[in-house]
Structures are given as C-alpha cells and as structure tokens.
Amino acid sequence: MNVPNQNATVLLVDDELMVARSLQSLLQLETDWNVLTFSEPERAIEELDRREVDVILSDFLMPIMDGITMLERAKEKQPFASRILLTGYADKANAIRAINEAGLYYYLEKPWDNAHLKLVVRNAVERARLIRDLDGRIAELEQARGELRDIRGKLIRAFL
Amino acid sequence: MSEETLRAEIAQLQLELERAREELAAREAELVASAKLVSLGSLLAGIAHELNSPLGALHSNHDVLKRALGKLQVILEDEVVDETELDELRRVVRALVGVLEVNDLAVHRMVGLVRSLRSFGRPDRSERAFIDINEAIDSTLALLEHQLRDRVEVVRDYDALPPIDCYANQINQVFMNLLVNAAQAIEGPGRITVRTRREADSVLVEVEDTGVGIEPDTLQRIFEPGFTRKGGRIGMGLGLLIVRQIVDRHHGEIAVRSTPGTGTVFTVRLAPLTRSEQPL
C-alpha cells in the first residue's frame, strides 16, 4: 500500500445500511483506512464538522436528502475530500448533472464490482491527499512570499 | 313494409346488436388483460428494485468472503502465525463479523419479500380462501414499499377483522390498484391512510390519499372502461374498472369521494361469499 493512503478516512452514506456495511467490510479487510458508515445523510454531514475525511461515498436515492444534495453540502464543509456517487438507478441524466454541477470525482452504479470500487476509492484517497498537500504547499509559498516581502521592506528601509 | 319483412329486419338488427355486444365484451376483456400486464410490469420493476440492495450486499460480501479465505490460507501456509499475521487475522475476523451481520439482514429482507409475493399472488386464480384483510393490505404495502418510502407516509388504522371468504388474489389486486392510484395521485410528499373497520359480517376498507383529487364531473366516470386521468397512465382507469369488477363479483360495494386539491377516499365494503357460489 502507498504510504499516503495509510489511515485515510472514508465516509460511506446509504439509507440501506446493509450496503454501506458491506462496503465497510471490504475496505476494512483490504486496507488500514478508518471506514465510517451512516444511514442518515444529516448525521454524516455533522460528522464532517468533527473530523477530516478523504473520501465521501454516498447513495443517490435516499429519503429526506438525496445523494447529490448530501455531496454538495459535504463540499461546503470539506472542499478537498473526493466525492463519489453510488446509485441503483442507471440514471445517467442525473449522474451527469451531479458530476457537472457538484464537481463529483466519480460515479458508480449498483451492483458494484469490489475490485473496481476499491481502485476508485484508493485513487480518490490519493487525489484528496495530493490536493490537501498542494494546498499546504501553496500556503507555505504564500507565507514565504510574505516573509520575503517583509525582508525586502526591511532591506529597503535599512538602505534608505 | 309487410310484417314479415319487419320481423326479419328486427331479427337481423338483434343479431347485429348481439355481435356488437360480444365484440365490446371481447375488447373490454382485452383492455383489462393489458391493464393487468401494465400493473404486473410495474410490480416486477418494484420487486427488482427491492431486491437490488440485499442482492448487491450479498454479492459484495460473497467476494469479501473469498478475499478473507485467501488471506487465511496465506497466513496458515507456514503453520506459524507471527505478529503481523495476527493483526491480519484480527482484520479478517472484524470483516467477517460485518459480513455475517449484513448477510443476516439481507437474507431476512429477501425471505420477507418472497413471503409477501406469495401471499399477494396466489397462483391459482380460482383459489378461494378465508383471508385476513389487514394482512392482505400489509403484503401489498410491502410490495409498494419502494414507490412510497421516499415521499409517502403510510398510516395504518386497522380494526381487528373477521376472516373474509374470498378470492384472495383478486382482492389483493383491488388493494394493489387502489394503493398505486393513491400513490400516483400524490405529487411530491404526502400521506396515504388505510382504514379497516368491522361492520357486522362485512369489512370496510378505506384508502385515503392527500393527492391532487378528482373533479366532480370526472368522478362520475371514474369506473368506466377507458377512463384515464388527464396525462395519466394507461393502466389507471382500467385499474379502477378491474377493481369495480372484482368488488361486484364479490357482491361488495365500492364508492369514491374526492375534493380537488385535497385528496380522494375510496371505500370498499366486502361481505363474505356464501359457500354455494360458483368460482368467479
């Protein structure tokens, strides 16, 4: 396993808990990731206030809140997390809308293939980590630039 | 025109009338059969959807079991279990516990679905039995679960009922059609209330929806063959025609009242059949 993937956190949301739990069994067997399951989207969104996650995978059709809305709200909380939609309906039109409007990372159809799903989630974890890393480096650069500006200011003042 | 010619003409007209009547009856039977196919189609789509989650979970878990077995075989290959392998073993056990829990749920769900189907669609059309109407409604609601779950709340207001002697699959068809219509009448979120009451020997069933309602002039034609709601589905009016036919055959009564914009209530009264009656 790649080092950056260690102890990644994956959040699974499906109103059918048996679906989320079977995905959890797979990922727990095959990886070292923390895998959290939720049957209520609201609870999953609350969890996003408590911890940083790398991947959010949500079912599409759920009562009260659909998967697209759930993933849009998740983006507000954690913009760097990779978001994946899982659906039982081969509802291409809605999937395309979701990918375009909500900026989803991937779209998976039920029934899923475990090997493919694992690969997709693993890549999603790497993507989230890379983006977060990039963001960190940009912040470092910004800070370094600020410091350079300060030094330049001081130097100019010293010579004037 | 002589009397004889007149008689001949009347006889001819009667013959034509009889033929037209037969043709009409045949057309009606065809329409009813096609409506049944439509409702069968929507029922099958529902069942396929209901099976999707438990089947998807079982399918995935089957693969997890294979993966877990593979890991166990690797660990046991050299007959020695080291510290890293012990961690791996714990991981396997944790996954297996999850697999068992989910499989249990999934199998229960599928068994329950098949049980509902069996009690809904008794294969022998002429099978006559004493049935509990409350149970029959519950079986039908179980099959419609996928259509209702996300947006329609179902309120069950049941009385204890005497068993009713009837043709169970036909009575189930009545509830299926009334409940599907109720669900289709509701745009967006809403509520269906199913009331059952005992009145002497007969049973009263009310299906009330908070749907769009039906205009008074339409309400009068609602049980006519070929009636469909504006922009409605093919099966809708025929569904109600079937409902009325079945209720009539059971010597029951069906009534409807509706307030446009508020909702509709269908009331079905069923009395037990008398033993001497011929198969319907």
Side-chain angles (χ1 to χ4, degrees):
Chain A
M1 197 188 301
N2 295 331
V3 177
N5 283 6
Q6 270 174 0
N7 298 320
T9 300
V10 176
L11 193 142
L12 307 171
V13 191
D14 197 316
D15 62 314
E16 288 279 14
L17 202 54
M18 66 175 89
V19 172
R21 290 290 304 280
S22 57
L23 293 176
Q24 186 182 36
S25 297
L26 170 74
L27 297 179
Q28 278 180 341
L29 182 72
E30 298 279 314
T31 70
D32 288 325
W33 306 337
N34 303 311
V35 185
L36 313 168
T37 57
F38 292 88
S39 59
E40 295 169 53
E42 293 86 348
R43 298 273 165 281
I45 287 169
E46 282 168 24
E47 186 65 23
L48 293 176
D49 286 329
R50 286 190 280 273
R51 69 167 88 204
E52 191 169 70
V53 306
D54 298 283
V55 176
I56 305 159
L57 188 152
S58 174
D59 184 30
F60 177 39
L61 283 180
M62 297 184 286
I64 304 166
M65 192 190 298
D66 69 58
I68 297 171
T69 312
M70 192 272 152
L71 291 174
E72 275 170 345
R73 287 186 54 189
K75 189 183 184 180
E76 292 164 16
K77 303 255 182 191
Q78 299 203 20
F80 298 145
S82 301
R83 290 159 308 135
I84 300 171
L85 190 72
L86 180 70
T87 173
Y89 283 72
D91 197 348
K92 293 276 193 290
N94 276 323
I96 290 165
R97 179 177 83 82
I99 290 168
N100 288 342
E101 289 178 16
L104 298 189
Y105 171 70
Y106 213 93
Y107 165 73
L108 285 168
E109 274 179 38
K110 292 181 190 173
W112 63 94
D113 171 68
N114 276 350
H116 181 229
L117 183 133
K118 202 178 92 179
L119 188 73
V120 167
V121 178
R122 186 182 296 281
N123 288 341
V125 166
E126 276 182 9
R127 175 193 167 276
R129 298 258 156 144
L130 283 172
I131 289 180
R132 200 170 284 134
D133 191 37
L134 190 66
D135 187 65
R137 279 164 202 264
I138 289 170
E140 279 171 21
L141 277 174
E142 286 291 336
Q143 199 188 338
R145 210 180 74 171
E147 282 166 13
L148 267 175
R149 201 184 290 126
D150 283 352
I151 291 169
R152 204 182 71 173
K154 280 178 193 160
L155 276 173
I156 289 169
R157 274 197 298 279
F159 284 99
L160 284 178
Chain B
M1 201 182 283
S2 74
E3 198 184 316
E4 204 170 313
T5 329
L6 209 60
R7 272 182 206 281
E9 199 155 311
I10 289 172
Q12 179 62 32
L13 280 173
Q14 269 177 338
L15 202 69
E16 276 172 25
L17 189 68
E18 195 53 42
R19 269 195 211 125
R21 199 175 285 155
E22 275 169 19
E23 202 170 305
L24 206 64
R27 284 291 300 146
E28 191 179 307
E30 269 173 35
L31 282 171
V32 167
S34 75
K36 280 185 176 167
L37 279 179
V38 168
S39 77
L40 182 67
S42 108
L43 184 66
L44 285 178
I47 293 161
H49 180 252
E50 275 303 281
L51 284 174
N52 214 17
S53 286
L55 212 52
L58 286 175
H59 183 250
S60 168
N61 279 347
H62 186 68
D63 173 66
V64 171
L65 287 178
K66 276 195 251 176
R67 289 167 187 262
L69 181 65
K71 285 183 192 288
L72 292 179
Q73 281 168 334
V74 169
I75 292 167
L76 292 174
E77 228 161 39
D78 55 2
E79 306 281 324
V80 183
V81 177
D82 63 31
E83 202 56 42
T84 334
E85 287 174 334
L86 205 60
D87 276 349
E88 187 80 344
L89 274 179
R90 288 196 189 96
R91 195 204 297 273
V92 168
V93 169
R94 196 166 50 158
L96 290 181
V97 168
V99 163
L100 274 184
E101 276 176 20
V102 168
N103 284 6
D104 212 33
L105 277 173
V107 168
H108 265 91
R109 174 83 62 86
M110 290 165 78
V111 167
L113 189 68
V114 170
R115 192 175 293 140
S116 298
L117 271 178
R118 201 182 287 147
S119 79
F120 177 82
R122 299 190 186 234
D124 182 1
R125 196 184 136 75
S126 61
E127 190 180 334
R128 186 168 153 180
F130 280 92
I131 66 160
D132 181 333
I133 296 292
N134 290 338
E135 272 177 28
I137 296 169
D138 279 342
S139 298
T140 309
L141 282 169
L143 295 177
L144 291 173
E145 169 76 16
H146 70 286
Q147 287 188 22
L148 307 172
R149 181 174 62 193
D150 293 351
R151 61 183 189 94
V152 181
E153 181 200 358
V154 177
V155 178
R156 293 169 168 87
D157 175 8
Y158 293 170
D159 241 6
L161 301 176
I164 286 283
D165 181 15
C166 64
Y167 292 89
N169 67 327
Q170 297 188 20
I171 290 301
N172 283 333
Q173 178 84 52
V174 167
F175 299 138
M176 175 58 88
N177 288 6
L178 290 182
L179 288 165
V180 166
N181 280 359
Q184 286 174 355
I186 296 169
E187 292 168 350
R191 189 175 60 247
I192 295 175
T193 308
V194 186
R195 265 177 230 102
T196 64
R197 293 288 180 266
R198 176 181 192 159
E199 288 187 359
D201 276 348
S202 59
V203 162
L204 200 74
V205 180
E206 273 192 356
V207 177
E208 179 176 358
D209 66 64
T210 59
V212 291
I214 305 162
E215 298 292 337
D217 56 331
T218 311
L219 205 59
Q220 292 174 349
R221 296 184 293 115
I222 201 161
F223 295 110
E224 288 172 14
F227 168 78
T228 50
R229 199 169 53 152
K230 200 172 164 189
R233 303 180 174 209
I234 315 165
M236 168 117 182
L238 293 169
L240 285 174
L241 176 68
I242 296 167
V243 164
R244 196 202 55 193
Q245 285 179 346
I246 294 172
V247 173
D248 283 351
R249 284 177 197 150
H250 281 79
H251 309 298
E253 287 164 20
I254 182 161
V256 56
R257 56 181 197 275
S258 184
T259 313
T262 306
T264 304
V265 187
F266 280 93
T267 308
V268 177
R269 184 186 299 278
L270 293 170
L273 293 171
T274 52
R275 273 286 133 196
S276 60
E277 277 173 60
Q278 295 299 307
L280 302 175

